[in-house]
Amino acid sequence: MNLRNIAIIAHVDHGKTTLVDALLAQSGVFRANEATVERAMDSNDQERERGITILAKCTSVLWNGKAGETRINIIDTPGHADFGGEVERILGMVDGCVILVDAEEGVMPQTKFVLGKALKLGLRPILCINKVDRAHADPDRVHNEAFDLFAAMGATDEQLDFPHIYASGRSGWATLDLNVPSDNLAPLFDLIVDHVPPPAVQAKVNEPFQMLAVLIESDPFLGRILTGRIAQGKATPGLAIKALNRDGQEIERGRITKVLAFRGLKRQPLDEGSEAGDIVAIAGLSKATVADTLCDMSLDTALPAQPIDPPTISMTVSVNDSPLAGREGSKVQSRVIRDRLLKEAESNVAIRVTESGEKDAFEVAGRGELQLGVLIENMRREGFEVAISRPRVVYQTDPETGERMEPIEDVMIDVDEEFTGVVIEKLSARKAELKDMAPSGAGKTRIQLKSPSRSLIGYQGEFLTDTRGSGVLNRVFSHYEAYKGPIEQQRKGVLVSNSDGETAAYALWNLEERGVMFVGAGEKTYMGMIIGENSRADDLDVNPMKAKQLTNVRASGKDEAIRLTPPRRPTLEQAIAYIEDDELVEVTPLNIRLRKKELNPSFRKKRQKED
């Protein structure tokens, strides 16, 4: 049987997962009476809630087209820059890629990032211009933009000769010519089979077994499961194998207990095993992890693993030591938190965990606030209680000059024309440099900037306020540059509780003129907890428990019901981006609270004087 391995790569929200849904449906994966879910590949709870892909996942379809029956292994990848580590490691498993570009939005920063990785590996790309049925779609402009991007990224002549196809993933059709209507995805299937070469490693089917582990997960019944493409030989249940690290040192020996192949949305065990070129998951080892080589006992050389871009942002995750600690979560000890973070770092190569100098605290470095926010949200749902610091950028030192280097990001912003002035003004104050600005149609302007990563920490909320919620900000790590100097932060002060107890509606009603509340009436608070944002620049210690003094005077209008403005409750990402260096976010399964690191106000003032 013919075999093809492809990855679907694109910027966030350009329709990858929806297109995979249509490919699965039209290849006969679902039975006629089977209920199908929208975005079937987004199986994780957070992926469904946020509407984005977080983890790279494998599926496989059988296509009976012009070239006969072909098995196509498809890898759906995340589009958000924070999860770029997922894309980097899976591209080594495939021989070609379908690069999806929105027919209205065109080429975006993450398109550039994923395309650069694919071209570097020598993959043969197919350009799919998706959503051509949108009102403001301009497929010809997007095709030219994509060609310019290929040329700018240093594509070879063979890669520049890429085929292109027009599609509507949601409607489930694709066509090579917009003047020739189509009602299915057969042209895309046939183009994949024609253009993507079969795995070259199929020729090594008679050599000893060897495979590079690319994805890792755990199963309650099978234990550790490692996914990768078989580089040579056959994987059969019962085969004795060993695991080698990148340096070729042996980690462990074991036997393959199960060979699982991707068949549609399910993984099926293969009794007779699988041959070189196929993407499979293997169970049976307990220590081997991502980037390790699984091989026959007779082999001693490790397969080269793709280098992963370094993390750019870090934050401290520590044990929750607030007065309300341990009341809502079941996992609160530093040992349990440490084990969970190390387990995450093992399966997610873009995250790095180190023990910090502080007691019971760990330094977690990743690609961005969203990636770290997703990790903390997962821990919160598992019953963990933790305290999190403000994100900091990961600096590097120039080996030649010894000067401090900071991460720089490419930023692309689409906003209504009336808001361009305020956006450019705010970002220029944060040391961003304007590269390009042009109208993008439908009354919108596209602004391209180069900005230090640290100036974007906490800016998303301010950006949405400035653009009345209509702006779209996309960013992707570009390179390291010399440190740009201090950036003035514009955040207002906060209202801090000065005692422990439950908030009173009367006290909050009186405090509303001071600023915006983060808590409602009848909620537990403690000394040092942040209960709102001050309308001025300085922090203010307030008493949110003060009750109304009762008297025996009954004047008209004296006892009117107190109506409070609903509190502004920050989400986890908003809270992480909002806090300052002397503050923490307390995360429990039931609540997200903001607090000062130093709870006692007299110690806080003393510390400010020392600083």
Side-chain angles (χ1 to χ4, degrees), residues 324-330 383 385 524 586 588-593:
L324 299 178
R327 299 190 188 184
E328 295 168 5
S330 56
E385 274 193 27
K524 288 187 173 69
E586 177 190 346
T588 73
L590 302 180
N591 286 293
I592 292 167
R593 302 184 184 97

Side-chain angles (χ1 to χ4, degrees), residues 263-298:
R263 299 292 179 255
L265 291 175
K266 300 182 179 71
R267 269 201 303 229
Q268 295 176 353
L270 300 179
D271 296 334
E272 73 286 355
S274 190
E275 297 184 349
D278 202 1
I279 296 173
V280 294
I282 285 177
L285 295 175
S286 58
K287 292 180 188 167
T289 183
V290 171
D292 290 343
T293 301
L294 317 182
C295 60
D296 190 89
M297 292 296 191
S298 61

Side-chain angles (χ1 to χ4, degrees), residues 263-465:
R263 299 292 179 255
L265 291 175
K266 300 182 179 71
R267 269 201 303 229
Q268 295 176 353
L270 300 179
D271 296 334
E272 73 286 355
S274 190
E275 297 184 349
D278 202 1
I279 296 173
V280 294
I282 285 177
L285 295 175
S286 58
K287 292 180 188 167
T289 183
V290 171
D292 290 343
T293 301
L294 317 182
C295 60
D296 190 89
M297 292 296 191
S298 61
L299 298 176
D300 293 312
T301 51
L303 290 166
Q306 278 302 310
I308 301 291
D309 285 350
T312 56
I313 277 186
S314 75
M315 66 185 184
T316 305
V317 177
S318 54
V319 170
N320 182 16
D321 61 353
S322 88
L324 299 178
R327 299 190 188 184
E328 295 168 5
S330 56
K331 298 170 182 172
V332 295
Q333 308 93 329
S334 62
R335 173 182 53 81
V336 181
I337 293 168
R338 176 178 172 273
D339 291 347
R340 174 67 179 85
L341 290 173
L342 290 175
K343 183 182 167 193
E344 183 70 26
E346 184 179 46
S347 62
N348 188 343
V349 290
I351 280 183
R352 199 170 61 208
V353 177
T354 50
E355 294 199 30
S356 73
E358 298 172 47
K359 188 177 67 150
D360 295 338
F362 309 93
E363 195 78 19
V364 182
R367 288 285 176 81
E369 293 154 73
L370 179 62
Q371 186 190 28
L372 297 176
V374 165
L375 165 61
I376 300 300
E377 180 63 35
N378 278 333
M379 290 176 67
R380 178 188 175 203
R381 293 178 185 200
E382 291 163 20
F384 282 87
E385 274 193 27
V386 290
I388 307 160
S389 75
R390 176 180 167 82
R392 304 172 295 278
V393 299
V394 178
Y395 294 107
Q396 289 188 355
T397 306
D398 189 323
E400 293 172 10
T401 61
E403 71 177 329
R404 185 155 63 153
M405 310 284 283
E406 69 172 324
I408 302 292
E409 302 195 12
D410 284 331
V411 183
M412 191 180 278
I413 295 173
D414 284 309
V415 288
D416 293 340
E417 286 168 8
E418 60 192 290
F419 303 126
T420 52
V422 67
V423 169
I424 292 170
E425 183 188 342
K426 288 271 178 81
L427 282 169
S428 299
R430 290 168 174 256
K431 301 273 198 281
E433 295 172 26
L434 183 66
K435 282 163 56 180
D436 189 29
M437 182 171 136
S440 57
K444 288 196 175 287
T445 301
R446 175 163 291 180
I447 308 167
Q448 295 184 42
L449 306 112
K450 195 172 79 171
S451 167
S453 294
R454 66 196 160 101
S455 63
L456 297 172
I457 294 173
Y459 175 65
Q460 183 75 31
E462 200 177 322
F463 170 74
L464 289 174
T465 306

Side-chain angles (χ1 to χ4, degrees), residues 552-565:
N552 60 357
V553 177
R554 291 286 175 268
S556 65
K558 184 88 177 165
D559 291 318
E560 283 179 1
I562 291 171
R563 288 193 179 87
L564 292 175
T565 308

